[in-house]
Amino acid sequence: MTGTRVLVLNSGSSSVKYQLIDMRGGERLAVGLVERIGEETSRLKHTPAGSGGREWSGAVPDHEAALKAVAAELAKDGLGLDSPELAAIGHRVVHGGLKFTEPTVVDDAVLAEIERLVPVAPLHNPANLTGIRTAQALRPDLPQVAVFDTAFHTTMPESAARYAIDVETADAHRVRRYGFHGTSHAYVSRETARLLGRAPEDVNVIVLHLGNGASASAVRGGRCVDTSMGLTPLEGLVMGTRSGDMDPAVIFHLMRVGGMSADEIDTLLNKRSGLIGLCGDNDMREIRRRVDAGDERAQLAFDVYIHRLKKYIGAYYAVLGRVDAVAFTAGVGENSAPVREAAVAGLEGLGLAVDGELNAVRGDEARLISPAGARVAVAVVPTDEEMEIATQTYALVNESGNPPLT
């Protein structure tokens, strides 16, 4: 293989995020975003390396048009999709079920299986499929690699992955805990070990991926043994607009007593719950501003968020038995010192604490925020899902020698 570049595509329902990465040194040759696809006015923001970037607004009716616009922008910088330097295109795919436990070169059978999983990822897999098919049409000769959010979590034991419902029913409808944000958890757990100067297989880490979507994982020796999200990304921590853990009978209650339909409850739990449901805001910066101003609803939202987070830290400490580090990542985890401080407050008996001065420092590098000599390291580790996807994609096409598509 002669090419050393990987184009990473993350196709959402109305957006495409992309990065072009040269794997020789990890340089990002270009990054960008197409958003509001299908709306009257869409926007593309494109930033090549060493430039301030450029933006334009206009009609982008579908994902095919979006990827063609991306290709045109890359071509302006001499980085077009026709370049022989392009080795592969790596795609984020949210749900891979149990079949896909590692990055996979896409063929017709892979596409069919991703399609079959749409019922358990109705918001994500269709957009991921559209991105793959459009990229295939643009470069049918190039390996397209699917990297699955769920793959890192397929190492969970059955005791963690199973729900305690009738086995036949669960198996018939593929009801089990799959977990998500897997590329982030894989990257951050490995980077945390590197920060400690140890091999991943020697380190037990609790990873807290805290963004608008939020999840926790217990990683023993580089392998996930438990994670907070389940069949869907709704389970687990309190999130920006999602409820996280809840008595499932609340759903029946809302149907019977509240007269709500299944679709209305789905919207409630996924889009009108979590922080926004508790206080009307899902931006932690605004919530903290309101807390500091004495707003009681914002304080309640923050307290509920922290309470759930602290419960998961304690639970995963028990699951792992020995914890070497707790790593905060993603938008909130990397940038909210109050969240990090509150999450470990009172857990000194478990060896957890943050140093106030270190915690207050902002930066783009992985760093420790626990006091010197702490029994358990507390770290801030910026996630890099795009680099993880690129790394897995490049390793696969090198290993397999650019397998032909079928």
Side-chain angles (χ1 to χ4, degrees):
M1 184 178 70
T2 58
T4 59
R5 297 173 183 170
V6 173
L7 177 63
V8 176
L9 294 177
N10 181 352
S11 300
S13 58
S14 62
S15 68
V16 174
K17 298 177 185 177
Y18 63 94
Q19 291 194 15
L20 181 64
I21 301 174
D22 191 325
M23 301 309 295
R24 282 173 296 197
E27 180 187 5
R28 285 166 172 79
L29 302 176
V31 300
L33 166 69
V34 187
E35 58 185 348
R36 298 198 289 270
I37 296 171
E39 297 184 18
E40 186 173 334
T41 302
S42 308
R43 184 171 75 103
L44 186 150
K45 182 176 182 180
H46 175 85
T47 306
S51 169
R54 51 188 182 265
E55 295 186 30
W56 63 260
S57 298
V60 181
D62 52 34
H63 283 71
E64 181 178 0
L67 284 182
K68 286 181 177 178
V70 169
E73 290 300 315
L74 289 168
K76 291 177 185 178
D77 304 310
L79 303 169
L81 297 191
D82 58 349
S83 169
E85 285 293 309
L86 189 59
I89 299 178
H91 300 265
R92 178 198 181 207
V93 178
V94 167
H95 214 309
L98 292 179
K99 184 176 181 67
F100 299 113
T101 61
E102 56 190 16
T104 305
V105 175
V106 174
D107 58 18
D108 290 343
V110 171
L111 285 173
E113 183 64 19
I114 296 172
E115 184 93 55
R116 196 172 72 87
L117 289 163
V118 165
V120 291
L123 300 178
H124 299 95
N125 274 30
N128 303 154
L129 281 165
T130 300
I132 294 171
R133 287 171 172 147
T134 303
Q136 284 179 320
L138 291 173
R139 280 296 306 268
D141 60 312
L142 203 65
Q144 311 284 332
V145 175
V147 178
F148 298 91
D149 269 15
T150 49
F152 183 63
H153 304 304
T154 58
T155 56
M156 284 192 296
E158 284 292 281
S159 57
R162 280 280 182 181
Y163 290 113
I165 66 173
D166 173 69
V167 171
E168 285 74 21
T169 300
D171 289 348
H173 300 287
R174 290 168 289 168
V175 176
R176 62 184 290 118
R177 303 183 64 251
Y178 294 98
F180 300 89
H181 295 147
T183 52
S184 177
H185 287 280
Y187 178 86
V188 171
S189 60
R190 193 171 60 249
E191 285 298 295
T192 301
R194 185 191 62 78
L195 182 64
L196 298 179
R198 297 167 65 181
E201 55 268 26
D202 296 332
V203 175
N204 291 354
V205 186
I206 297 172
V207 178
L208 303 172
H209 177 107
L210 308 179
N212 193 49
S215 59
S217 68
V219 182
R220 178 184 292 125
R223 295 167 61 87
C224 177
V225 295
D226 205 349
T227 192
S228 58
M229 286 179 167
L231 173 72
T232 76
L234 182 59
E235 187 181 1
L237 301 175
V238 174
M239 302 175 226
T241 65
R242 300 177 202 149
S243 64
D245 291 341
M246 187 187 67
D247 180 353
V250 170
I251 296 169
F252 313 137
H253 178 79
L254 292 175
M255 284 180 169
R256 294 166 181 155
V257 178
M260 296 177 69
S261 68
D263 286 344
E264 287 172 330
I265 296 172
D266 188 291
T267 298
L268 170 70
L269 298 183
N270 279 290
K271 298 182 179 179
R272 293 171 39 221
S273 295
L275 294 172
I276 205 165
L278 289 166
C279 72
D281 272 310
N282 65 327
D283 187 321
M284 186 58 73
R285 293 165 297 187
E286 178 61 17
I287 291 171
R288 285 303 311 175
R289 186 197 65 76
R290 288 172 55 186
V291 167
D292 292 341
D295 187 306
E296 292 184 0
R297 283 189 63 189
Q299 183 68 63
L300 174 64
F302 184 79
D303 290 346
V304 172
Y305 182 94
I306 294 298
H307 181 77
R308 185 80 54 81
L309 184 56
K310 193 172 293 191
K311 281 174 65 176
Y312 268 92
I313 293 172
Y316 286 172
Y317 205 118
V319 166
L320 290 170
R322 187 199 83 239
V323 175
D324 299 297
V326 173
F328 290 87
T329 194
V332 175
E334 294 170 28
N335 296 297
S336 181
V339 165
R340 297 191 297 261
E341 179 182 9
V344 301
L347 301 181
E348 293 82 6
L350 298 178
L352 288 164
V354 299
D355 179 289
E357 290 186 8
L358 294 176
N359 190 37
V361 173
R362 297 179 66 90
D364 297 328
E365 299 296 323
R367 61 196 186 276
L368 295 177
I369 59 171
S370 45
R375 192 165 87 237
V376 178
V378 180
V380 179
V381 181
T383 192
D384 197 338
E385 294 174 88
E386 290 77 15
M387 182 59 75
E388 182 70 15
I389 291 170
T391 299
Q392 293 189 27
T393 296
Y394 191 64
L396 178 62
V397 297
N398 266 308
E399 176 184 277
S400 54
N402 271 4
L405 301 183
T406 58

